[in-house]
Amino acid sequence: MRFLVRSVVGVLLATLAAVAAAQGADAAPKPIRIVHPYPGGAIDNITRVLADRLKDRWGQPIVIDPRPGASEIVAADQVAKARPDGLTWFIGTESTFANNAFLFRKLPFDPAGDLVPVSELFAVNFALIVRGDFPARTLQEFVEYAKNSPGKIKYGSVGVGTGPHLAMEDFARLAGIKGLIHVPYKTPPQSVQDLLGGEIDVVMSVTQFAAPFVGSGKMRMLAVTGATRQKDHP
């Protein structure tokens, strides 16, 4: 696995894209339901912006239906088993279409057969984010501290097998860090609260996770993944 783990987010329908387009153009009376797994996070924000734009363009009601849990399986299963009328959409990440098939013995649906990919919305890099009073202030200091503190550092993610979980494990493997304690959460706001409260020490997440708290010193971003610096966080 590469150190740079891309969080690729796509819109998927339970039927063909052409059916959904026809429904939107005809402004069917039934609302479109967009299901996603991450309430309160970046995906939730982007989903709501997308819904507003589509509602204005189509003149059709759109309902956002967050269904967190089980590495996106709960949300994706809702869409996979929905009536194939083009009115139920799913927004998720590579967890649904790449990771889960290898991480779970059995899935309640077939990602390749029951969902039809339509469009990639965006790709993101991750940041290594620590609580404001964490002893390490640079990436090198973090690696040194973590190597000398096995079993003491707790890191959060939005669930087993999700991009942030695998990214942190891959980083630890490449850096030679052992003994990190994984604390999975259902939603991003839960991990934000616990990082601010000192219940966990670090997360590997999108930069939006920490951006509101960096200026006050409540969180620190030590590094970002990727080949270049991020424009908003140089």
Side-chain angles (χ1 to χ4, degrees):
M1 182 183 295
R2 298 168 299 160
F3 173 55
L4 172 58
V5 180
R6 298 175 67 241
S7 178
V8 181
V9 184
V11 180
L12 298 108
L13 309 184
T15 185
L16 296 177
V19 176
Q23 291 280 1
D26 296 341
K30 292 183 179 180
I32 291 174
R33 181 167 68 114
I34 302 181
V35 184
H36 74 79
Y38 301 114
I43 290 179
D44 186 65
N45 294 336
I46 289 174
T47 300
R48 294 182 187 281
V49 171
L50 175 67
D52 287 341
R53 298 289 179 86
L54 294 178
K55 182 174 62 177
D56 292 341
R57 183 168 183 174
W58 291 346
Q60 184 159 342
I62 298 178
V63 177
I64 309 299
D65 187 5
R67 297 293 181 107
S71 188
E72 303 186 7
I73 294 174
V74 173
D77 189 46
Q78 284 279 319
V79 179
K81 291 181 170 60
R83 184 177 179 179
D85 55 9
L87 295 176
T88 305
W89 301 12
F90 170 68
I91 294 183
T93 74
E94 75 283 355
S95 293
T96 294
F97 296 95
N99 301 341
N100 288 348
F102 300 97
L103 296 173
F104 294 89
R105 190 177 300 276
K106 186 177 181 180
L107 296 173
F109 63 94
D110 176 12
D114 295 335
L115 298 171
V116 181
V118 173
S119 176
E120 178 181 289
L121 294 183
F122 62 85
V124 300
N125 294 343
F126 290 134
L128 184 68
I129 304 163
V130 297
R131 53 184 170 82
D133 60 349
F134 192 78
R137 302 191 66 85
T138 67
L139 185 64
Q140 182 178 358
E141 288 179 359
F142 178 87
V143 172
E144 293 175 356
Y145 182 85
K147 286 182 176 180
N148 293 325
S149 308
K152 295 182 179 180
I153 297 177
K154 298 178 182 179
Y155 77 91
S157 80
V158 284
V160 175
T162 59
H165 173 213
L166 298 181
M168 192 66 187
E169 288 295 325
D170 196 40
F171 166 67
R173 178 183 63 85
L174 292 170
I177 299 171
K178 297 180 180 180
L180 295 179
I181 300 172
H182 179 217
V183 183
Y185 295 88
K186 271 192 172 184
T187 67
Q190 291 174 330
S191 57
V192 169
Q193 182 177 353
D194 276 6
L195 188 63
L196 291 173
E199 297 296 324
I200 57 176
D201 304 295
V202 59
V203 296
M204 184 80 77
S205 187
V206 295
T207 55
Q208 290 89 338
F209 182 101
F213 307 101
V214 168
S216 64
K218 294 180 179 179
M219 292 184 189
R220 294 199 308 274
M221 286 189 282
L222 302 186
V224 296
T225 62
T228 60
R229 295 183 183 274
Q230 292 195 10
K231 181 178 179 181
D232 293 338
H233 307 285

